[in-house]
Structures are given as structure tokens and as C-alpha cells.
Amino acid sequence: MSKQKKLIIGLFGFGVVGEGLYRVLQQTPSLNASLKRVCIKDPAKNRNAPGNLFTTNKNELLNDPDINVIVEVIDDAKAAFDIVKTALLNGKDVVTASKKMIAENLPALLELQNQTGRSLLYESAACTSIPVIRNLEEYYDNDLLHSIKAIVNGSTNFILTKMFEDGLDFKQSLLLAQQCGFAESDPSLDIEGYDALNKWIFLLTHAYGIIENPEALLFNGIQHIQQEDAAVAKSKNLQIKLVAQAQKLKNGNVAAFVLPQFIPADDHLSFVKNEYNGVVIESGFADKQFFYGKGAGSLPTASAVLSDIAALRYEYKYEYKKLYHHTPHNLDNSIRLRVYVSFEKTDIVPREEFDWVEEFHVHEKRQYIIGGISLERLKSTNWWREPGTSLIVAPDPIVEDMEIRSLKKRSLELAGIF
Amino acid sequence: MSKQKKLIIGLFGFGVVGEGLYRVLQQTPSLNASLKRVCIKDPAKNRNAPGNLFTTNKNELLNDPDINVIVEVIDDAKAAFDIVKTALLNGKDVVTASKKMIAENLPALLELQNQTGRSLLYESAACTSIPVIRNLEEYYDNDLLHSIKAIVNGSTNFILTKMFEDGLDFKQSLLLAQQCGFAESDPSLDIEGYDALNKWIFLLTHAYGIIENPEALLFNGIQHIQQEDAAVAKSKNLQIKLVAQAQKLKNGNVAAFVLPQFIPADDHLSFVKNEYNGVVIESGFADKQFFYGKGAGSLPTASAVLSDIAALRYEYKYEYKKLYHHTPHNLDNSIRLRVYVSFEKTDIVPREEFDWVEEFHVHEKRQYIIGGISLERLKSTNWWREPGTSLIVAPDPIVEDMEIRSLKKRSLELAGIF
């Protein structure tokens, strides 16, 4: 009855994820997969596996006709792309965990898949243990996907949780995240939002058929969030999370961004603490659905890689249905975003950047303003990225053109507070 | 680029779900599907659709060579099976929402799928809008699935939420559930646990390759839960939910049951209120994952049916991988369950049924006992199903043999309280 393909794996990388995968594979004999060879960079390092498994010569894996699956969990995006490209061209299926590599090479990777007919899977690169790509491809395969909103970076979510629930400061929280193995080797990738941005780039492809460079998307990290911002959040019964969001607009386009966001207590994402990830998918008729699971750590990542490997036994491929079988959507920056921006008290607040203002407060050390700004304008300016300034998206942030007039009116009424 | 199959649908049933599906199909032109004919029972009823769509002759759908998909959303399990069987034998793919029909005819339905090579999909029958079958088949396709625990019945969850959060009594809550369209036409199917039991029967197949009759599983509903039980729950910071559970045992078998259960505040299922469903999947290395979405209502059901229809364009089939490609697991009743049982004060408590006792309390109107009972023993006795008696599973309920001795010892120490 079995139609399983026997998998012979060549693995690139034996860091925490690679070693985690090695251990997971040993404990899943039913997988019908064997690890033939592991390519590493540093042959001098001690490894918890038999020495004859290792090589430093990538061609011993890429040119081995026995190996039919290349699994790539290295840290270097450029080297990862070369490995993936060669592997696909050599007729091997590939599983990768490199978000940066995927985000930066998406058109080339799509072309390679079409050209070779091989499978390239990367579920662990999206939300680690949550099967979000699979569900977007297979289950939300229709034009009813209204919005998708997610916490896709476990490291920043861990840091924010420790800062705002346990009262640690930013540095202490980051150190703890690193000690727990929840941060990338270069923590700025997480903290400044690049990791979330990279993930969002290819999740937009699976959700809406959008193909864009990372530069096309408005994003920021959590590096400038202040304890005073947390105090404002608490006073309003909100949390602060780094949220990736995409929403279909009335004109058929999609608005998308990755920014810190205020999250109300009744929002599904408020449930997502520490290193966990969460995805809220809103679709016509089914209302909101919520997926939740571990978003960082070597074993959850290894386990997601394992599920991709398992799928290769049945020759599973992403079909990129939103791209090839539907009319792909376009990214649209014409919306206004409702944002909170806080400044040091000595700063001059750039009121002219706001299309309307809803609140303006001056506190002891800082001042803040809540209002609407064009997403396009935020993309093209940098004043809000300066140290000392923090921008946090308000709940229900997306304002399409038709609604602006009434808010502008409200803004005029409130203008007296300046 | 499109490889989509053009779907011509014959629909059985035009109740709330059938009509919901009709509306959903009209709003998803990208689906490449058209509804050719609808078979109904009562031709006299007013329908919100053109009259020439309807027929009362099932053969006009089942024998129509143009129709390649039969969608069945009727209430009568026996009639549903006949329709599904004939449709498959006539070479048509089938989407069904009839949990009872599936649970009662699983071996025959598996045989029909093997024999005809056609596809039978029923995602909406499991957790309505949550794609749990898909994820069990495709993503948790390995031997690392430790446990699955779920709220699979939106109606009882709605009733329990209204009883224990809004202070309504059972009757009021049930009436409200019916008014909202969250209860089956025969509410006893929901309330007495049959609906959850039926769903669990086929979810066990997709999770563990288990094929059993509904009678094989220990189950109960929420019909005997008292306000006093709720008070006990509140005093311990617990909620009461109707939970379906399955867990891999150390001996490789699986223990499974559907019973009311005390849920601690930090359990993922405590997040699941009103008509929502939730599924917690615990797998090796990935830890716990949580899926959450609407578990009742015509449009969420219709939307899940739609996702199955969409999958048929790509000739998607359940592969029943745990059954055919892994070693299927066996159901095992040899465990002990930690349970709370409450009685009217005048009742005689059957202490001899318990393997050990952890607590015994006598309150003004009722008394309750917490202890361990053999699952086998619960299956074969009925004293705990009597009106006035309520049995609620304790948190971490499954006790395998090896742990019992120490608990028995504790039981002896506590025996003095009788």
C-alpha cells in the first residue's frame, strides 16, 4: 500500500537546528529517510555525531547521485542560495530554513522550481512550528482571504514579553533570549525587524500571490520602544507586539507592513507570549481563525523541517496557487495608517506629517501623538526611525480613502490641543 | 499554467448550510465551479434561489454524467450514506458534512474510496472551520504525535460558556444556541456528546490510524452538569468544557475519550469560548500547537465545504497515511482516569469503584469525590451517567499503570476522610 519515496538526505549545517534535526531523524524511523552526509564549515569543532558523517566539501553532497534531498540550515544567505540552486539543478528536492535567502531570491527560486520540476519546501522558515504556508496554499485557496495578521518572530516577542510582563529592560531581555537559543546569531536581524520582514515577503506570495523585494515593504523593529510606551499601552489595556499584517483593500489590492502594534486584550494575538508565534487569518464566511505554536528554538525548527522532509515522500510541492492559478494581488501603499508616535520631550513633533490627529499628550519625559499618516509617506521618510522616537501602530490601523474625510473633520476639532 | 479541473456540482440539502454554500459559491467566481442542481426533500418550501435549480429526484444528480462532484449536507445519516456510496460508485468525487454518517460507516467508506479511486472529503464535519484533518494528514505525518485534545462541538461549548460566564441556566443557554443556529436539529446529539463522539471517531483515524465504532469509545455529554459543579470549578480557577482527547501511551497504544473536563486557566482550550472550536496538538520536538476557529454556524460550515470543493480541483484525496503507511495504533482502555464525580447529598457514593481517592467533600446540597477509576470500568458501568450524578475529568487525567502505586498509597493515607 505504501507509495513512499525513500529519502536519502544531505544536510548542510550542524548548528542547533542541524543537530536538532539529526536527533529528530534518529527518533522517527517511520520516516523512511536516512541522513547520508553532513556538510559543515569548521571541521575542528566537536560534533555529537560520528565523524565520518561530516565533510567540508559541498560537492560530496550536491554531486552524490544517491542523495535525493538536500536540507539546508546554514546561516549564510548567499551560500545557502548557491546550495539550493545547485541542488535543484542537480535534480534534488530541497528543504531550507533560510528566510533571508528565500526573501531575497524569490523570483529566482520560483524560476528554478518551474525549470527543474523539483520541490523546494520551507515551512520552518515562516512561523517555525506553525504550518502556515501549507494552510495558505491548500486550505485558504480561494479569493476570500480578507486579511492575515501574525507574530512571526519569536525572538522579539520573547523580548517584549519579558520587558512588559516581567519588568526586565531591553538588554536583559535580549540576553535571556540569546541564552535560550531564541535569537539569530546576529540579533539585529530579529530586533530591527529584518527577520519578520523576510518572512512576510514570502508569506505574501503564498497568501496573495504578491512578489516583492524586501525593500518594497514598510517595516521596523522594536529597537526604539521605550518603557514609557509600555506604560501608555498598559494604561489603555493594550500590549505591544511586533506584528506583520496584510489586508485586502476595497480596490482589490493589498496593504501590508511589519511594525510594532498595540494589541487589545481581546485580540487573538494577545494570547501569544514569549517565543511563540501566532497567525490570525480572516476569511469570508469562516470569520477569524487562529494558529499558534512555538516560533523559535532548535527542536521546533527541526520538527518543521522534518514535516517538510516527510511531505517529500509524497512528492509534495508548493503550487503557488495565488500566483499561478488566481489573479495575483498588488501591493498598495495608498492607505493611511493610524499610528502612535512618541518623542523625547525636547523633540519637535512633526505635526505636518500627520493627515489627522486624534490625541496629543505631553508627559513628564516624553510626548506622544496618535493620528493618521500615509503609508507611502512613512516609507519615504526616516524621522520616525530616529533613536528616541518610537512608532507603534494603533488597533484597526488601516484607513482606506473613503473613511478619511470624517477623521479629518475630527482632527480639525481636536487641533485646538496643539 | 492552470491545471484546475472544472467542477460541476450536484448539491443534496438546502437547509442553512446548503443555502450558505449556494451564497458562498456565488461570491467565489475564481473557484471554477458551478452548481448545476440541488436535491431537496420538501418541494413546497420557499427557497432563496431559482426554482429550476431544484429537484426531489436524487437520480437526476447521481446519474447526471455532467456532474462530477456531489456535495451532501443533509441531516439524515442513512440517506446520506446511500447518496455518498452511489456517488462514489458512479465515479463522482464527494464532499460531505455528515459526521454521524462518516463515524458509523468508516470501514465501508474507506473501502469505497479504495475501490473507486474517487475522493471523499469531509473537513467541515470535524471542527467546522479549522482544517484539522488536512493538518493531521499532511503535516503531522510522523510518529511524533503525542496527543490531541480538542473542543469539537460548538453547541455544547456555547451552552457551557453562557451557563458559567453569563449565569444563564442550561435551558436558557440551549435555547439561545438554537436561536443562533449553533445546535443540531436534534439537540440531544450535541448535548449528550454523540456529535463530539462521532467527530472523534474519524479524527482518531486521521491522527492515529484507529478505526473503531462509536460504541468503542468512552463518552458522555454535558446534560448532567450542575451549577454546583461550576461553583467548584470556579473555586479552583478552572472551567468546564466538553473535551475530546487522545494520547499515545508508553506501550504504543492510544487512550481516547470524550468527556466533560476541568480546564485550567493556562490551558490553550480555556481560550475557546462560545461556539468556537479549538485543537491542541502535542508532538515531539514542536511542543504544543493550537488551532482555533468557528465551530458552528451555517457560513463557517459552508466555507469549510468550499475549501474541500476547492481542493478537488487539484484532485486532492485523503491518503489516510497513519492507517496505510504507518503502523496503525490500537485503542487501549487499560489506563486510569482522574475524575471528579458529584452526587446529590442523599446518594450513596460508590467508593468501591475508585482505585484511589484524592479528595472527598460534602457541601450543602451535593457531595463530590476526586479520584482514579479504570477507563474500562467506566465504560462498562452506568452509575455515573445517572441524572443527578456528574462526572468531570480532572486536569492531566491519564494515569498509566506505572504511576498508580504511589497514588494508591496516597489514597490509603487519605482514606480516613470517609
Side-chain angles (χ1 to χ4, degrees):
Chain A
M1 197 75 200
S2 174
K3 295 182 282 182
Q4 294 181 25
K5 182 172 168 182
K6 167 87 182 151
L7 306 179
I8 320 256
I9 298 171
L11 171 65
F12 282 84
F14 208 75
V16 283
V17 175
E19 191 182 331
L21 183 67
Y22 172 72
R23 286 169 50 197
V24 170
L25 279 170
Q26 284 184 312
Q27 288 174 62
T28 49
S30 72
L31 195 62
N32 203 19
S34 67
L35 182 60
K36 187 171 180 191
R37 214 74 205 277
V38 181
C39 183
I40 48 169
K41 217 160 60 182
D42 180 0
K45 235 190 223 171
N46 244 338
R47 312 281 181 177
N48 289 321
N52 59 4
L53 206 57
F54 297 97
T55 174
T56 54
N57 178 358
K58 66 180 179 179
N59 292 323
E60 286 188 21
L61 282 64
L62 293 170
N63 294 335
D64 183 337
D66 284 352
I67 290 175
N68 52 13
V69 177
I70 292 292
V71 177
E72 174 283 302
V73 290
I74 66 174
D75 240 357
D76 176 341
K78 215 192 142 307
F81 179 66
D82 287 340
I83 290 163
V84 170
K85 183 178 170 179
T86 308
L88 289 169
L89 289 172
N90 287 1
K92 302 179 193 313
D93 293 325
V94 176
V95 177
T96 171
S98 301
K99 322 122 227 261
K100 188 163 183 277
M101 184 277 290
I102 304 165
E104 290 177 349
N105 299 282
L106 203 46
L109 293 170
L110 288 167
E111 176 53 32
L112 279 164
Q113 288 171 80
N114 286 337
Q115 182 190 339
T116 63
R118 298 322 311 165
S119 178
L120 172 68
L121 302 181
Y122 43 83
E123 189 69 83
S124 75
C127 290
T128 313
S129 69
I130 307 175
V132 59
I133 298 179
R134 249 29 115 80
N135 280 289
L136 286 172
E137 277 293 318
E138 308 306 329
Y139 193 70
Y140 299 97
D141 168 34
N142 55 52
D143 43 15
L144 298 173
L145 190 71
H146 290 338
S147 70
I148 167 166
K149 192 169 94 170
I151 292 170
V152 296
N153 182 273
S155 172
T156 47
N157 203 56
F158 181 88
I159 291 169
L160 290 171
T161 306
K162 293 299 164 203
M163 279 175 76
F164 302 141
E165 298 207 346
D166 301 349
L168 302 187
D169 69 22
F170 187 87
K171 266 191 160 167
Q172 290 171 318
S173 305
L174 171 59
L175 192 66
L176 195 58
Q178 287 174 315
Q179 285 167 345
C180 296
F182 299 150
E184 296 281 325
S185 54
D186 173 3
S188 67
L189 278 178
D190 292 314
I191 291 158
E192 295 175 16
Y194 294 101
D195 180 76
L197 169 69
N198 286 333
K199 292 168 172 173
W200 211 233
I201 285 295
F202 56 83
L203 281 173
L204 285 173
T205 309
H206 293 284
Y208 290 113
I210 291 170
I211 302 189
E212 290 282 3
N213 294 317
E215 300 80 48
L217 219 61
L218 175 66
F219 83 103
N220 201 14
I222 63 167
Q223 66 274 25
H224 296 319
I225 290 177
Q226 312 285 328
Q227 285 291 349
E228 288 86 352
D229 301 327
V232 171
K234 275 187 186 160
S235 74
K236 293 171 182 275
N237 198 24
L238 301 165
Q239 297 178 54
I240 300 173
K241 306 269 187 197
L242 183 60
V243 174
Q245 184 159 356
Q247 185 176 311
K248 221 192 266 182
L249 303 176
K250 287 173 193 135
N251 64 15
N253 293 333
V254 168
F257 49 87
V258 177
L259 290 169
Q261 184 163 149
F262 286 120
I263 297 295
D266 64 353
D267 190 304
H268 302 60
L269 293 184
S270 76
F271 187 80
V272 183
K273 313 236 158 156
N274 293 314
E275 78 274 22
Y276 283 81
N277 281 185
V279 183
V280 179
I281 291 175
E282 189 169 12
S283 67
F285 309 109
D287 203 62
K288 286 180 185 167
Q289 287 169 280
F290 176 46
F291 300 80
Y292 169 89
K294 281 215 170 158
S298 59
L299 291 177
T301 307
S303 141
V305 170
L306 185 83
S307 284
D308 278 347
I309 294 173
L312 290 177
R313 286 178 301 167
Y314 305 96
E315 313 204 337
Y316 178 72
K317 286 187 181 76
Y318 299 144
E319 299 212 38
Y320 299 91
K321 290 175 183 161
K322 313 300 167 59
L323 182 63
Y324 296 134
H325 303 158
H326 292 254
T327 310
H329 293 272
N330 295 312
L331 211 56
D332 186 333
N333 290 339
S334 71
I335 56 149
R336 266 68 183 168
L337 270 186
R338 290 183 63 236
V339 298
Y340 154 108
V341 190
S342 80
F343 308 84
E344 288 178 13
K345 215 179 153 189
T346 49
D347 289 348
I348 291 160
V349 180
R351 271 183 276 164
E352 68 284 0
E353 299 282 345
F354 286 78
D355 285 332
W356 71 87
V357 171
E358 298 174 27
E359 286 184 40
F360 181 72
H361 293 264
V362 181
H363 284 174
E364 207 177 324
K365 288 189 191 149
R366 292 179 73 79
Q367 49 190 340
Y368 73 82
I369 184 168
I370 297 176
I373 301 189
S374 146
L375 194 154
E376 190 63 80
R377 184 109 194 105
L378 282 174
K379 266 205 85 225
S380 61
T381 56
N382 279 312
W383 58 269
W384 58 277
R385 297 179 194 270
E386 298 296 320
T389 304
S390 61
L391 178 141
I392 300 168
V393 171
D396 296 321
I398 292 177
V399 179
E400 298 188 55
D401 282 341
M402 295 164 64
E403 305 166 48
I404 288 181
R405 219 168 302 167
S406 63
L407 284 160
K408 275 211 167 137
K409 185 166 167 290
R410 197 169 156 221
S411 160
L412 290 172
E413 290 163 13
L414 286 162
I417 58 172
F418 278 94
Chain B
M1 197 76 198
S2 174
K3 296 180 282 180
Q4 295 180 23
K5 183 171 166 182
K6 167 87 183 148
L7 307 179
I8 318 253
I9 299 170
L11 171 65
F12 282 83
F14 207 75
V16 282
V17 175
E19 192 182 331
L21 183 66
Y22 172 72
R23 284 170 51 198
V24 170
L25 280 171
Q26 284 185 311
Q27 289 174 59
T28 49
S30 72
L31 195 62
N32 204 18
S34 68
L35 183 60
K36 187 172 180 191
R37 215 72 205 278
V38 182
C39 183
I40 48 169
K41 215 159 64 179
D42 181 0
K45 234 189 224 171
N46 245 338
R47 311 283 181 177
N48 289 321
N52 59 5
L53 205 57
F54 297 97
T55 175
T56 55
N57 179 357
K58 66 180 179 180
N59 292 323
E60 287 188 21
L61 282 65
L62 293 169
N63 295 334
D64 183 336
D66 284 351
I67 289 175
N68 53 13
V69 177
I70 292 292
V71 177
E72 174 284 302
V73 290
I74 66 174
D75 241 357
D76 175 341
K78 213 190 144 306
F81 179 66
D82 288 341
I83 290 164
V84 169
K85 183 178 170 177
T86 309
L88 289 169
L89 290 172
N90 288 1
K92 302 178 193 313
D93 292 326
V94 176
V95 177
T96 171
S98 299
K99 322 126 229 258
K100 190 166 184 275
M101 184 277 290
I102 303 164
E104 290 176 349
N105 298 283
L106 204 46
L109 292 171
L110 289 167
E111 176 54 33
L112 279 164
Q113 288 172 79
N114 286 337
Q115 181 189 340
T116 63
R118 299 322 312 165
S119 178
L120 173 68
L121 302 181
Y122 43 83
E123 188 69 83
S124 76
C127 290
T128 312
S129 71
I130 306 175
V132 59
I133 298 179
R134 247 33 112 79
N135 279 290
L136 286 171
E137 277 291 319
E138 308 305 331
Y139 193 71
Y140 300 97
D141 168 35
N142 55 52
D143 44 14
L144 298 173
L145 191 72
H146 289 340
S147 71
I148 166 168
K149 193 169 94 169
I151 293 171
V152 296
N153 182 272
S155 172
T156 47
N157 203 56
F158 181 89
I159 290 168
L160 289 171
T161 305
K162 293 299 163 201
M163 279 175 75
F164 301 141
E165 297 207 347
D166 301 348
L168 302 186
D169 70 21
F170 187 87
K171 265 191 161 168
Q172 291 170 318
S173 305
L174 171 59
L175 193 66
L176 195 57
Q178 287 174 314
Q179 285 167 344
C180 296
F182 299 150
E184 296 281 326
S185 55
D186 173 3
S188 67
L189 279 178
D190 292 314
I191 290 158
E192 296 175 16
Y194 294 100
D195 179 76
L197 170 70
N198 287 332
K199 291 168 173 171
W200 211 233
I201 285 295
F202 56 83
L203 280 173
L204 284 173
T205 310
H206 292 285
Y208 290 112
I210 291 169
I211 302 188
E212 288 283 2
N213 294 318
E215 300 80 48
L217 220 60
L218 175 67
F219 83 104
N220 201 14
I222 62 166
Q223 66 274 24
H224 296 318
I225 290 177
Q226 312 283 328
Q227 284 292 348
E228 287 85 354
D229 302 325
V232 171
K234 275 185 188 163
S235 75
K236 292 171 182 277
N237 198 24
L238 301 165
Q239 297 178 54
I240 300 172
K241 307 269 186 197
L242 183 60
V243 174
Q245 186 159 354
Q247 185 176 311
K248 220 192 268 182
L249 303 175
K250 287 172 193 136
N251 64 14
N253 293 333
V254 169
F257 49 87
V258 177
L259 290 169
Q261 184 163 152
F262 285 120
I263 297 294
D266 65 353
D267 190 304
H268 301 61
L269 293 184
S270 75
F271 186 80
V272 183
K273 312 239 158 154
N274 293 313
E275 78 273 23
Y276 283 81
N277 281 186
V279 183
V280 180
I281 291 175
E282 190 169 10
S283 67
F285 309 108
D287 202 61
K288 287 181 185 168
Q289 287 169 281
F290 176 47
F291 300 80
Y292 169 89
K294 281 214 169 159
S298 59
L299 290 179
T301 308
S303 140
V305 170
L306 185 82
S307 284
D308 279 347
I309 294 173
L312 290 177
R313 284 179 301 167
Y314 305 96
E315 314 206 335
Y316 178 71
K317 287 187 181 78
Y318 298 145
E319 298 210 40
Y320 300 91
K321 290 175 183 161
K322 313 298 167 60
L323 182 63
Y324 296 133
H325 304 159
H326 293 254
T327 310
H329 294 272
N330 295 313
L331 211 55
D332 186 332
N333 290 339
S334 71
I335 56 149
R336 267 68 182 167
L337 270 185
R338 289 183 63 237
V339 298
Y340 153 109
V341 191
S342 79
F343 309 84
E344 289 179 14
K345 215 181 152 187
T346 49
D347 288 349
I348 293 161
V349 179
R351 272 183 276 166
E352 68 283 1
E353 300 281 345
F354 286 79
D355 286 331
W356 71 86
V357 171
E358 300 174 26
E359 287 183 40
F360 181 71
H361 293 264
V362 182
H363 284 176
E364 207 176 327
K365 288 186 192 153
R366 293 180 73 78
Q367 48 190 341
Y368 73 81
I369 184 167
I370 298 176
I373 302 189
S374 145
L375 193 154
E376 192 61 82
R377 185 109 193 104
L378 282 174
K379 267 206 84 220
S380 62
T381 56
N382 280 311
W383 58 268
W384 57 277
R385 298 178 193 270
E386 297 296 319
T389 304
S390 60
L391 178 141
I392 300 169
V393 171
D396 295 320
I398 293 177
V399 180
E400 298 187 54
D401 282 341
M402 294 162 65
E403 306 166 46
I404 289 181
R405 216 167 301 167
S406 63
L407 284 160
K408 272 207 169 145
K409 186 167 167 291
R410 194 166 160 223
S411 160
L412 290 172
E413 290 163 14
L414 286 163
I417 58 174
F418 279 95

